[in-house]
């Protein structure tokens, strides 16, 4: 190898190709995904249906009483223009209601891409497939909270 021009003669046998996303569905016609947010973990099953969403055995409107949480939960379904086409069954544990809503949203997004891989670009662009990694900062010794110091007193 005398110079850089001879590098092209080495060959390009390895071609970089985009990963192919295939449909992942169990024998009952459901796709499964795990969603996470803060300390909440949601196990989500999505199947073709009439748009019914059940969380921990309750209707989603009964489980998440606040309209903001209901809106967060349904964002990926509306972004993919699939309102009323998927039945969602989820079990969620840990964290508070806000974290649980975010976890279910993440799980629904992932399960929808497994069920219908063509939805991936829309959901990816909306940011629904990215796990929100922000968690509560731990308390440090010598501090009142994670960052707050004790009140200063000169005497």
């Amino acid at each position: 190898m005398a110079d850089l021009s001879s590098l092209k003669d080495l060959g390009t046998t390895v071609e970089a190709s985009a990963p192919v996303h295939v449909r992942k569905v169990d024998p009952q016609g459901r796709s499964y995904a795990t969603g996470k947010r803060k300390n909440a973990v949601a196990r989500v099953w999505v199947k073709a249906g009439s748009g019914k969403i059940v969380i921990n055995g309750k209707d989603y409107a009964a489980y998440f009483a606040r309209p903001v949480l209901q809106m967060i939960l349904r964002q990926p379904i509306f972004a993919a223009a699939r309102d009323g086409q998927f039945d969602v069954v989820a079990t969620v544990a840990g964290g508070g209601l806000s974290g649980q809503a975010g976890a279910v949203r993440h799980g629904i997004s992932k399960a929808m891409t497994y069920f219908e891989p063509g939805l991936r670009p829309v959901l990816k662009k909306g940011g629904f497939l990215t796990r929100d990694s922000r968690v509560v900062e731990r308390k440090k010794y010598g501090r009142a909270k994670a960052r707050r110091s004790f009140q200063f007193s000169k005497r």
Side-chain angles (χ1 to χ4, degrees):
M1 205 165 72
D3 58 8
L4 294 176
S5 63
S6 62
L7 281 176
K8 63 182 174 184
D9 298 332
L10 293 176
T12 56
T13 56
V14 179
E15 292 184 21
S17 62
V20 177
H21 298 286
V22 294
R23 192 167 191 249
K24 298 177 188 171
V25 180
D26 67 2
Q28 286 86 27
R30 306 172 301 182
S31 59
Y32 168 79
T34 304
K36 294 181 180 181
R37 168 87 166 91
K38 293 187 178 179
N39 282 332
V41 179
R43 300 183 305 156
V44 180
W45 290 268
V46 170
K47 65 178 181 178
S50 60
K52 189 175 173 187
I53 302 174
V54 177
I55 298 165
N56 288 352
K58 295 182 180 179
D59 185 52
Y60 80 100
Y63 192 82
F64 294 115
R66 285 187 281 174
V68 174
L69 299 179
Q70 295 174 19
M71 182 262 307
I72 287 172
L73 192 76
R74 299 180 66 188
Q75 278 178 334
I77 298 170
F78 285 126
R82 295 291 187 271
D83 190 30
Q85 296 181 21
F86 289 126
D87 282 348
V88 177
V89 176
T91 58
V92 62
L97 286 177
S98 176
Q100 288 185 352
V104 173
R105 178 179 89 163
H106 186 224
I108 288 172
S109 305
K110 285 173 60 176
M112 283 172 60
T113 59
Y114 295 150
F115 192 86
E116 195 175 331
L119 297 177
R120 185 174 172 81
V122 175
L123 295 174
K124 183 81 171 165
K125 189 169 190 279
F128 300 118
L129 297 177
T130 306
R131 190 237 199 262
D132 191 352
S133 61
R134 296 175 296 169
V135 292
V136 177
E137 190 175 346
R138 78 171 193 87
K139 184 194 177 300
K140 282 82 172 183
Y141 56 86
R143 297 267 172 178
K145 293 167 43 174
R147 296 186 180 196
R148 192 199 183 305
S149 300
F150 295 110
Q151 181 173 344
F152 176 75
S153 173
K154 192 176 256 188
R155 299 188 216 311

